[in-house]
């Protein structure tokens, strides 16, 4: 059955490999299941809204990945996007300030914006407009997307994915491995800044991260399939053992009083098809249109960048850098967003962590289906997913990020029209944290260089339009 539906042999894979790949991707992005409701509800853990967003995260991710599996047959996995969810939370807070409505009512108003965005994306996908936008991106920029995402993954792995809150600064802001551990003047300075317990946690985090990374590298060099997954498991064991021995804490303590019953009633009460159209009229149509355009631009180019970059790494693109069945992949992304709006979460988009599953051998929609089923199962087993330590997933992100840098070999560094946009994307993506914005910087620089280099006719009309839209997005305050 799997062979007939997913064409496993044709894609050079098998059921076992796809299962491992799906589980690998799930483990690298499972953090979003709890983090998304935290961000969207301002960490109002246990509230009806938090539970509703939690359920919506699982359901919308599952629906999006099922569509990706059966429509596009690609190993790309989806969930409410980081960055987009933070922006959604800011928008919701602004609606509260502007209208005086409650946070829940404002949240339900903001969901309408996500619904409209999803419907627009379905229309754009049906009429091949999104696919045309992908094809309009110059080849040099497309070649640079994958390594830029690689640097972004490494930055996430060494940074925000494993931030440590410590008593040294009153648990106010996190300490990071690269900035605070390797950037410290001396270990004693860091210990003074973090406090004793925080410093020990940092040491354990660094050891876990690099044990996992080197374990993955060692197994990959020996050709062991599932090296990423096994490396994450080894790293997890190291962290759990270290927690027992050095921190005197039980990493499994949260399982003792954890609830495994899905909070369906809370979702039905707060977020399921709970659109506040009256609230939308209160914030003004110009503001609504501006927000819709902003969400669309960010999501479109984040998704395009992830699909193109990950597909390039997996060898799923042709000689022109185009991915077959791009239209279907983009349609799956749009359906996921509509589902998210209807169930109660921000924009659903393709995750860069999909690269971990691709590196584990995932080549078909079966990978996406497995990951989607695990997300759905998290309605029941979320407490188990939550005990996977962040440094273990960081090891996978760093490893995959390093591999994606190999795409730089295809960039012609003797051609300034390729080199400059790619170089700007390489720094722009990890620093800004936005794939879409980095692509925008690359497109603007490419267009400007072509125009002032006397080669304006080599730039497509659509590239001019997209560059202009990004200029407006970056510089026009509305």
């Amino acid at each position: 059955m799997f062979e007939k539906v997913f064409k496993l042999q044709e894609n050079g894979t098998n059921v076992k490999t796809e299962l491992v790949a799906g589980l690998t991707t799930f483990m690298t992005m499972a953090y979003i299941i709890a983090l998304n409701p935290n961000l969207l509800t301002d960490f109002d853990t246990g509230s009806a809204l938090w539970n509703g967003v939690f359920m919506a995260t699982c359901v919308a991710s599952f629906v999006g990945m099922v569509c990706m599996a059966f429509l596009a047959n690609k190993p790309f996995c989806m969930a409410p996007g980081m960055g987009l969810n933070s922006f959604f939370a800011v928008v919701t807070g602004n609606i509260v300030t502007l209208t005086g409505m409650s946070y829940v009512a404002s949240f339900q108003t903001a969901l309408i914006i996500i619904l409209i965005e999803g419907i627009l994306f379905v229309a754009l996908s049906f009429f091949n407009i999104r696919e045309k936008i992908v094809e309009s991106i110059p080849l040099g920029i497309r070649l640079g997307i994958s390594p830029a995402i690689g640097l972004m993954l490494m930055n996430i792995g060494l940074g925000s994915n494993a931030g440590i809150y410590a008593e040294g600064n009153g648990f106010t802001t996190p300490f990071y491995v690269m900035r605070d551990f390797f950037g410290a003047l001396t270990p004693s300075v860091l210990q003074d800044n973090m406090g004793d317990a925080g410093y020990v946690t940092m040491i354990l985090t660094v050891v876990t991260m690099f044990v996992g990374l080197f374990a993955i590298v060692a197994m990959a060099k020996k050709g062991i399939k599932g090296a990423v997954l096994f490396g994450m498991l080894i790293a997890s064991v190291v962290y759990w053992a270290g927690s027992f021995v050095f921190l005197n804490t039980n990493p499994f303590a949260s399982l003792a009083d954890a609830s495994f019953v899905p909070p369906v009633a809370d979702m039905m009460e707060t977020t399921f098809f709970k659109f506040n159209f009256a609230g939308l009229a209160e914030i003004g149509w110009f503001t609504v249109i501006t927000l819709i355009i902003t969400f669309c631009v960010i999501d479109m180019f984040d998704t395009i960048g992830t699909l193109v970059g990950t597909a390039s790494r997996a060898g799923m693109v042709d000689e022109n850098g185009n991915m077959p069945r791009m239209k279907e992949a983009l349609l799956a992304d749009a359906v996921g967003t509509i589902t998210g709006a209807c169930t109660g979460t921000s924009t659903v988009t393709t995750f860069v962590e999909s690269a971990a599953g691709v590196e584990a051998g995932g080549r078909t929609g079966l990978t996406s289906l497995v990951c989607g089923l695990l997300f759905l199962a998290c309605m029941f087993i979320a407490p188990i997913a939550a005990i996977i330590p962040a440094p273990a997933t960081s090891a996978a992100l760093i490893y995959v990020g390093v591999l994606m840098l190999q795409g730089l070999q295809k960039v012609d560094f003797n051609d300034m029209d390729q080199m400059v946009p790619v170089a700007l994307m390489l720094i722009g993506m990890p620093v800004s944290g936005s794939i879409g914005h980095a692509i925008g910087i690359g497109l603007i620089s490419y267009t400007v260089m072509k125009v002032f280099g006397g080669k304006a006719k080599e730039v497509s009309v659509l590239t001019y339009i997209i560059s202009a839209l990004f200029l407006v997005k970056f510089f026009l305050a509305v």
Side-chain angles (χ1 to χ4, degrees), residues 336-365:
T337 293
I338 292 176
T339 306
C342 293
T343 54
T345 186
S346 55
T347 305
V348 172
T349 189
T350 305
F351 263 51
V352 293
E353 284 85 351
S354 300
V358 168
E359 195 54 43
R363 291 296 182 273
T364 73

Short mmCIF file of all heavy atoms in Angstrom, two decimals, residues 336-365:
data_model
loop_
_atom_site.label_atom_id
_atom_site.label_comp_id
_atom_site.label_asym_id
_atom_site.label_seq_id
_atom_site.Cartn_x
_atom_site.Cartn_y
_atom_site.Cartn_z
N GLY A 336 -3.17 24.08 5.61
CA GLY A 336 -2.77 24.05 7.02
C GLY A 336 -3.06 25.36 7.72
O GLY A 336 -3.53 25.38 8.86
N THR A 337 -2.83 26.48 7.01
CA THR A 337 -3.10 27.79 7.59
C THR A 337 -4.59 28.01 7.83
O THR A 337 -5.00 28.52 8.88
CB THR A 337 -2.54 28.90 6.67
OG1 THR A 337 -1.11 28.81 6.65
CG2 THR A 337 -2.96 30.29 7.15
N ILE A 338 -5.42 27.61 6.87
CA ILE A 338 -6.87 27.73 7.04
C ILE A 338 -7.34 26.88 8.22
O ILE A 338 -8.15 27.32 9.05
CB ILE A 338 -7.62 27.31 5.75
CG1 ILE A 338 -7.35 28.32 4.64
CG2 ILE A 338 -9.12 27.19 6.00
CD1 ILE A 338 -7.96 27.94 3.31
N THR A 339 -6.82 25.66 8.31
CA THR A 339 -7.17 24.79 9.43
C THR A 339 -6.75 25.41 10.75
O THR A 339 -7.49 25.35 11.75
CB THR A 339 -6.50 23.41 9.26
OG1 THR A 339 -6.84 22.86 7.99
CG2 THR A 339 -6.96 22.46 10.36
N GLY A 340 -5.56 26.02 10.77
CA GLY A 340 -5.09 26.67 11.98
C GLY A 340 -6.01 27.80 12.41
O GLY A 340 -6.33 27.94 13.59
N ALA A 341 -6.46 28.61 11.44
CA ALA A 341 -7.37 29.70 11.77
C ALA A 341 -8.69 29.18 12.32
O ALA A 341 -9.24 29.74 13.27
CB ALA A 341 -7.62 30.55 10.52
N CYS A 342 -9.19 28.11 11.72
CA CYS A 342 -10.49 27.55 12.15
C CYS A 342 -10.42 26.87 13.51
O CYS A 342 -11.41 26.83 14.24
CB CYS A 342 -11.00 26.57 11.09
SG CYS A 342 -11.45 27.35 9.51
N THR A 343 -9.25 26.32 13.83
CA THR A 343 -9.13 25.61 15.12
C THR A 343 -8.55 26.50 16.21
O THR A 343 -8.80 26.26 17.40
CB THR A 343 -8.25 24.35 14.97
OG1 THR A 343 -6.98 24.72 14.38
CG2 THR A 343 -8.93 23.32 14.11
N GLY A 344 -7.76 27.55 15.82
CA GLY A 344 -7.31 28.48 16.83
C GLY A 344 -5.82 28.70 16.99
O GLY A 344 -5.32 28.78 18.11
N THR A 345 -5.09 28.83 15.86
CA THR A 345 -3.67 29.13 15.98
C THR A 345 -3.23 30.01 14.82
O THR A 345 -3.97 30.22 13.86
CB THR A 345 -2.81 27.85 16.03
OG1 THR A 345 -1.45 28.21 16.29
CG2 THR A 345 -2.88 27.07 14.73
N SER A 346 -2.02 30.53 14.93
CA SER A 346 -1.48 31.42 13.91
C SER A 346 -1.05 30.62 12.68
O SER A 346 -1.21 29.41 12.61
CB SER A 346 -0.29 32.20 14.49
OG SER A 346 0.67 31.31 15.03
N THR A 347 -0.46 31.32 11.72
CA THR A 347 -0.12 30.76 10.41
C THR A 347 0.68 29.47 10.50
O THR A 347 1.71 29.40 11.18
CB THR A 347 0.68 31.79 9.60
OG1 THR A 347 -0.06 33.01 9.54
CG2 THR A 347 0.95 31.29 8.20
N VAL A 348 0.22 28.45 9.80
CA VAL A 348 0.93 27.17 9.70
C VAL A 348 1.85 27.23 8.48
O VAL A 348 1.43 27.61 7.39
CB VAL A 348 -0.06 26.00 9.58
CG1 VAL A 348 0.68 24.69 9.29
CG2 VAL A 348 -0.88 25.88 10.85
N THR A 349 3.11 26.86 8.68
CA THR A 349 4.08 26.95 7.60
C THR A 349 5.05 25.78 7.65
O THR A 349 5.12 25.06 8.65
CB THR A 349 4.85 28.29 7.69
OG1 THR A 349 5.65 28.47 6.53
CG2 THR A 349 5.73 28.32 8.94
N THR A 350 5.78 25.59 6.57
CA THR A 350 6.75 24.50 6.50
C THR A 350 7.95 24.82 7.38
O THR A 350 8.49 25.92 7.32
CB THR A 350 7.20 24.29 5.04
OG1 THR A 350 6.06 24.08 4.22
CG2 THR A 350 8.13 23.09 4.93
N PHE A 351 8.39 23.86 8.17
CA PHE A 351 9.46 24.07 9.14
C PHE A 351 10.83 23.73 8.57
O PHE A 351 10.98 22.73 7.87
CB PHE A 351 9.22 23.22 10.39
CG PHE A 351 8.56 23.96 11.52
CD1 PHE A 351 7.40 24.70 11.31
CD2 PHE A 351 9.10 23.95 12.80
CE1 PHE A 351 6.80 25.39 12.33
CE2 PHE A 351 8.50 24.65 13.84
CZ PHE A 351 7.34 25.37 13.61
N VAL A 352 11.82 24.58 8.88
CA VAL A 352 13.18 24.29 8.44
C VAL A 352 13.71 23.00 9.07
O VAL A 352 14.60 22.35 8.52
CB VAL A 352 14.14 25.46 8.77
CG1 VAL A 352 13.80 26.68 7.96
CG2 VAL A 352 14.12 25.78 10.26
N GLU A 353 13.14 22.61 10.21
CA GLU A 353 13.56 21.36 10.85
C GLU A 353 13.25 20.15 9.99
O GLU A 353 13.75 19.04 10.27
CB GLU A 353 12.88 21.22 12.22
CG GLU A 353 13.47 22.10 13.31
CD GLU A 353 12.90 23.50 13.32
OE1 GLU A 353 12.17 23.86 12.36
OE2 GLU A 353 13.18 24.26 14.26
N SER A 354 12.45 20.32 8.93
CA SER A 354 12.21 19.23 7.98
C SER A 354 13.52 18.72 7.40
O SER A 354 13.61 17.55 6.99
CB SER A 354 11.31 19.71 6.82
OG SER A 354 10.06 20.15 7.29
N ALA A 355 14.54 19.58 7.38
CA ALA A 355 15.85 19.18 6.86
C ALA A 355 16.45 18.02 7.66
O ALA A 355 17.21 17.21 7.11
CB ALA A 355 16.80 20.37 6.88
N ALA A 356 16.11 17.94 8.96
CA ALA A 356 16.63 16.83 9.77
C ALA A 356 16.07 15.50 9.28
O ALA A 356 16.80 14.50 9.20
CB ALA A 356 16.27 17.06 11.24
N GLY A 357 14.78 15.48 8.95
CA GLY A 357 14.18 14.25 8.43
C GLY A 357 14.71 13.90 7.05
O GLY A 357 14.92 12.72 6.73
N VAL A 358 14.94 14.91 6.23
CA VAL A 358 15.51 14.68 4.90
C VAL A 358 16.91 14.07 5.04
O VAL A 358 17.28 13.14 4.32
CB VAL A 358 15.56 15.99 4.09
CG1 VAL A 358 16.42 15.84 2.84
CG2 VAL A 358 14.15 16.43 3.71
N GLU A 359 17.68 14.60 5.98
CA GLU A 359 19.03 14.07 6.19
C GLU A 359 18.98 12.64 6.72
O GLU A 359 19.91 11.86 6.49
CB GLU A 359 19.80 14.97 7.16
CG GLU A 359 21.28 14.73 7.17
CD GLU A 359 21.89 14.82 5.77
OE1 GLU A 359 21.53 15.74 5.02
OE2 GLU A 359 22.71 13.95 5.43
N ALA A 360 17.90 12.29 7.42
CA ALA A 360 17.74 10.91 7.92
C ALA A 360 17.27 9.97 6.81
O ALA A 360 17.09 8.77 7.07
CB ALA A 360 16.76 10.89 9.08
N GLY A 361 17.05 10.50 5.62
CA GLY A 361 16.68 9.65 4.49
C GLY A 361 15.28 9.85 3.97
O GLY A 361 14.87 9.20 3.00
N GLY A 362 14.49 10.72 4.60
CA GLY A 362 13.12 10.94 4.16
C GLY A 362 13.07 11.54 2.76
O GLY A 362 13.73 12.55 2.50
N ARG A 363 12.28 10.95 1.90
CA ARG A 363 12.19 11.43 0.52
C ARG A 363 10.75 11.52 0.00
O ARG A 363 10.53 12.00 -1.11
CB ARG A 363 13.00 10.51 -0.42
CG ARG A 363 14.50 10.56 -0.24
CD ARG A 363 15.05 11.93 -0.59
NE ARG A 363 16.51 12.01 -0.46
CZ ARG A 363 17.15 12.31 0.65
NH1 ARG A 363 16.46 12.54 1.77
NH2 ARG A 363 18.46 12.38 0.68
N THR A 364 9.78 11.04 0.78
CA THR A 364 8.40 11.04 0.31
C THR A 364 7.44 11.59 1.37
O THR A 364 7.84 11.90 2.49
CB THR A 364 7.94 9.61 -0.06
OG1 THR A 364 7.73 8.85 1.15
CG2 THR A 364 8.96 8.90 -0.94
N GLY A 365 6.18 11.63 0.99
CA GLY A 365 5.16 12.11 1.90
C GLY A 365 4.94 11.21 3.10
O GLY A 365 4.30 11.63 4.08
#
